[in-house]
Every structure is written in C-alpha cells, then in structure tokens.
C-alpha cells in the first residue's frame, strides 16, 4: 500500500483553478520531486499536503489515514521553505529543538535529539550561534534539522536551495539526498530546476498549469516524455519539422533524408520531431545520416557544442573532445548519424 496518497486534488482561488485533478501515490522512503515552471501550482500542492491550504476537492492520506481536513500540527509533517525561516532570536540548538518543545517533549529527551540532528547536518559545533551568524547553506541545513527533529512521517521541501549559490546548491542537494536515504524518510521536494529534480529523485512529477503532465523516473521523464510540454521543459531538445510521406507507414523526410519512424504518425502534411543533442553522432557508420552545415563551434573543454543548419532548421549537438579528431569547422558540411528510436514524435 502506498504511504502517501493524493487523490483528485483540486484547488481554486476564486475563479482560478490552480491545481487540477492531481493524483500521486508515494511509497514509504521515496524521494519525489514536483518540477514545473513558476506559477504551475507546486507550492499549492505542497501546502495542501502540509495542511496550510484546504483542497477545494479531493483527498490526502498518510499511512492510510485521511488527513485532508486535519490541522498542520496533527499531520506529523516536517517542512523546509525557500527563504530561511529560522527564528532569529533563538540559537541554532533552540531552533532545532523548537518542534520538540512545542510537542511537549521532556527536556531530557530534547538535548540528545538536538545533538543528534546537529551531528547529522555536520554543525555540531555551532549550536550556540544565532541564525545571522551562519551562511545561507548552514541556515538551510539548520532548517532541515529543525524539520527532521520531531521524526515527521513526511518531509516537504519547497525550493530549499534556490537562494544559495551554485556550488553550495550542488553540495547541499547531495547532502539532503544522503540524509533522506539514511533516515528513509518519505520526501516531496519542489523545484523548478530540472537538473536538481533529475539528479535527486526516485520519481519526478512534471507539472504544467496545475496538472501533473507526467509522473516517472528521471530516466523515463527524460527519455520518454509523455507530452510536448515535458519534452520541451526537461533537458535540451532539438525540435525539427519533418515532411510526412506516408503517415500509415511512418515515412518522413527530415532535412532531405528519408526516415522510417515507428508508425503510425499523426495526420497532417508535417510532423514535429524531438531529438536530444546527445543522440546525434558525428560521422556515424550506421543508421540514417542528416546533412548539415556547421554554423557555430563552442569549445567547452570536455565537450564541444556545435550548432548547425539542417536545410533551414537549426540543430544543436555535442561531441566529446578527443585529441585524435579535430572538431568540424564553421561552414563545413557534416553527416550526422542518429538512431530512429531516438526521434520523439511530439505532434503534428
Ligand atoms: N493564496 C492565494 N490566493 C490567490 N492565488 C494564489 C494563492 N496562492 C497561490 N495562488 C496562485 O496560484 C498559482 C500557483 O501558485 P504556486 O505558488 O502554487 O506556484 P508555484 O508552482 O509554487 O510557483 P513558483 O515556482 O513561482 O514558486 C499562481 O498563479 C498563484 O498566483
Ligand atoms: Mg512555489
């Protein structure tokens, strides 16, 4: 049985439906990301799970218990917000122990738990500091420790890394994931950063205008996007128009090259195909070849990013830098190899 269930969740603010028929089941210990652009309803979903927002329709269960109408403090949920929400007048240790104190835990049990949490986040020496004496990354670690101290059944993280600089973000996201695994705590993480979502999650929910467009593993979301929106939002994608020769047989021409796709294709004279940059190979021996003219060569060290023109359509791809092969030059015409299985049919 699933640990956390959101069924047919809806939320309207006045006439605006900001969450629409949202369904999700989460297993115990799973790490789920809600990924989507600003305003798509991620925070609203999280706030409904936390109990800060009452759904307009639908329900939420945790461990089989209906919590839809329970107050936040009756749900046993830990939450970390985007902005550092530490109490400025309390020390680090007092912040971490705050939830336990509110719960009425005996003093003698709070101290060791706080020490345990501070050790978990690697800040054992900083218990007596105040939040203003900490870096942003340290403050978010304290916020995480504070959320975890009362042993919540579900941990909710709303863009906890977005105020941090790039390097700290990456190290802290690894740390959060490691702690989450160690504790085996069921977690929902909100982000609009696809790299964060793909690298951290067991499964990703890609949200778009209040709807869960696709729920799947990072591998599935990236390699088998279910909608045009997911295909465009997650990762870099070349979108190419192909002329349909025979829809029933899957025959098209792309940049003058005839290709047979898994049939059938949507009706229409043309079809839009998606192709990831890394699915394109320079001078491959097998499979269809596209003739393209190099427009731009961007030397990035380990990879070389190339932009080319495919019969009037821009196409971007990467090639690894090896000392044995000189990269193509601007103006050169090259053969691009691909596997037809890598072509995503994303609409007529
Ligand atoms: N209390 C509220 N009253 C009215 N509208 C609201 C309220 N809270 C959120 N909204 C609207 O609901 C929509 C979804 O908001 P939400 O905060 O869930 O988006 P989000 O995906 O978290 O975006 P971001 O990435 O910018 O944080 C937005 O259009 C927002 O303006
Ligand atoms: Mg938000």
């Amino acid at each position: 049985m699933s640990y956390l269930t959101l069924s047919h969740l809806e939320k309207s603010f006045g006439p605006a439906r900001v969450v629409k028929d949202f369904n999700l089941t989460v297993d115990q210990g799973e790490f789920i990301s809600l990924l989507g652009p600003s305003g798509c309803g991620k925070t609203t979903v999280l706030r409904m799970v936390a109990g800060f927002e009452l759904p307009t329709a639908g329900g939420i269960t945790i461990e089989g218990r209906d919590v839809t109408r329970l107050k936040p403090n009756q749900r046993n949920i830990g939450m970390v917000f985007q902005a550092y929400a530490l109490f400025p007048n309390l020390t680090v240790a007092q912040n971490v122990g705050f939830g336990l104190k509110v719960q009425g835990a005996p003093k003698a049990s709070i101290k060791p738990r706080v020490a345990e949490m501070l050790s978990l986040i690697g800040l054992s020496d900083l218990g007596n500091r105040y939040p203003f004496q900490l870096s942003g990354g340290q403050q978010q670690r304290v916020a995480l420790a504070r959320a975890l101290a009362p042993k919540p059944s579900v941990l909710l993280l709303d863009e906890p890394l977005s105020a941090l600089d790039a390097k700290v973000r990456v190290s802290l996201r690894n740390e959060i994931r490691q702690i989450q695994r160690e504790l085996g705590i069921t977690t929902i993480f909100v982000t609009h950063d696809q790299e964060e979502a793909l690298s951290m999650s067991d499964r990703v929910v890609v949200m778009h205008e209040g709807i869960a467009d696709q729920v799947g593993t990072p591998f599935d979301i990236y390699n088998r996007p279910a909608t045009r929106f997911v295909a465009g939002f997650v990762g870099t994608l070349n979108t190419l128009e192909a002329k349909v020769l025979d829809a029933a047989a899957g025959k098209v021409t792309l940049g003058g090259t005839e290709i047979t796709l898994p049939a059938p294709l949507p009706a229409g004279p043309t079809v839009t195909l998606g192709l990831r940059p890394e699915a394109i190979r320079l001078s491959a021996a097998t499979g269809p070849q596209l003739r393209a003219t190099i427009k731009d060569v961007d030397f990035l060290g380990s990879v070389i990013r190339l932009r080319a023109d495919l019969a009037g359509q821009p196409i971007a791809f990467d090639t690894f830098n090896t000392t044995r092969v000189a990269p193509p030059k601007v103006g050169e015409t090259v053969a691009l190899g691909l596997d037809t299985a890598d072509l995503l049919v994303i609409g007529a």
Side-chain angles (χ1 to χ4, degrees):
M1 197 186 67
S2 73
Y3 191 76
L4 168 67
T5 312
L6 317 187
S7 15
H8 305 291
L9 269 195
E10 296 266 343
K11 183 67 191 180
S12 298
F13 294 108
R17 278 176 79 207
V18 303
V19 176
K20 303 164 196 161
D21 196 24
F22 191 93
N23 295 286
L24 180 67
T25 56
V26 185
D27 288 335
Q28 186 160 20
E30 215 180 352
F31 191 107
I32 298 275
S33 287
L34 304 185
L35 171 68
S38 185
C40 73
K42 305 179 297 293
T43 295
T44 306
V45 170
L46 216 62
R47 287 174 59 81
M48 288 193 280
V49 176
F52 298 126
E53 217 64 82
L54 190 66
T56 310
I60 301 166
T61 64
I62 299 175
E63 289 184 273
R65 181 170 75 127
D66 185 348
V67 300
T68 317
R69 276 157 208 289
L70 295 185
K71 293 203 176 72
N73 61 6
Q74 296 170 321
R75 298 186 183 203
N76 194 24
I77 273 171
M79 188 146 174
V80 177
F81 301 91
Q82 171 178 356
Y84 320 128
L86 297 177
F87 304 113
N89 54 327
L90 300 183
T91 64
V92 165
Q94 287 165 339
N95 265 284
V96 174
F98 184 82
L100 298 167
K101 200 171 162 193
V102 169
Q103 282 179 355
K107 242 189 179 157
S109 75
I110 296 181
K111 215 174 160 193
R113 181 69 181 159
V114 168
E116 191 187 338
M117 289 294 105
L118 289 179
S119 145
L120 186 71
I121 58 163
L123 296 182
S124 292
D125 298 338
L126 304 187
N128 292 324
R129 288 224 191 145
Y130 284 90
F132 77 90
Q133 297 167 313
L134 302 178
S135 72
Q138 289 169 333
Q139 288 187 47
Q140 280 309 64
R141 278 197 237 145
V142 174
L144 179 68
R146 184 178 63 178
L148 291 171
K151 301 190 177 160
S153 29
V154 177
L155 177 65
L156 305 176
L157 306 162
D158 193 356
E159 309 225 20
L161 307 174
S162 59
L164 306 171
D165 72 50
K167 253 201 174 134
V168 180
R169 278 180 87 121
V170 173
S171 73
L172 198 49
R173 86 179 181 213
N174 294 335
E175 208 175 311
I176 288 177
R177 185 58 165 130
Q178 203 181 328
I179 289 171
Q180 185 271 341
R181 279 211 182 98
E182 213 170 298
L183 302 179
I185 184 165
T186 310
T187 301
I188 303 183
F189 180 93
V190 162
T191 181
H192 58 256
D193 181 328
Q194 43 152 319
E195 190 186 297
E196 227 163 72
L198 294 177
S199 78
M200 293 177 84
S201 317
D202 293 315
R203 284 186 302 149
V204 179
V205 181
V206 185
M207 284 187 72
H208 178 219
E209 294 176 354
I211 292 172
D213 260 35
Q214 187 172 3
V215 183
T217 62
F219 186 88
D220 277 342
I221 296 281
Y222 188 85
N223 291 317
R224 289 186 279 274
T227 67
R228 199 187 181 102
F229 174 78
V230 176
F233 188 73
V234 181
T236 311
L237 189 73
N238 291 295
T239 49
L240 304 164
E241 294 295 314
K243 210 183 282 169
V244 177
L245 300 177
D246 183 345
K251 271 206 181 115
V252 300
T253 57
L254 176 60
T257 302
E258 200 173 308
I259 292 174
T260 305
L261 298 164
L265 297 171
T270 62
V271 63
T272 306
L273 302 175
L275 188 60
R276 298 283 184 201
E278 67 272 22
I280 299 170
R281 296 177 308 271
L282 263 176
S283 53
T286 57
Q289 311 264 319
L290 305 173
R291 311 270 312 158
T293 308
I294 300 291
K295 290 283 173 201
D296 189 33
V297 180
D298 207 356
F299 185 80
L300 298 173
S302 64
V303 292
I304 301 162
R305 185 145 301 164
L306 299 150
R307 276 177 284 275
D309 177 85
L310 176 71
Q313 304 193 68
I315 183 165
F317 57 101
D318 293 345
T319 180
F320 280 112
N321 172 28
T322 67
T323 46
R324 277 164 288 138
V325 187
K329 294 189 174 57
V330 172
E332 201 176 313
T333 298
V334 292
L336 307 180
L338 58 104
D339 279 328
T340 47
D342 288 331
L343 284 164
L344 306 165
V345 177
I346 56 180

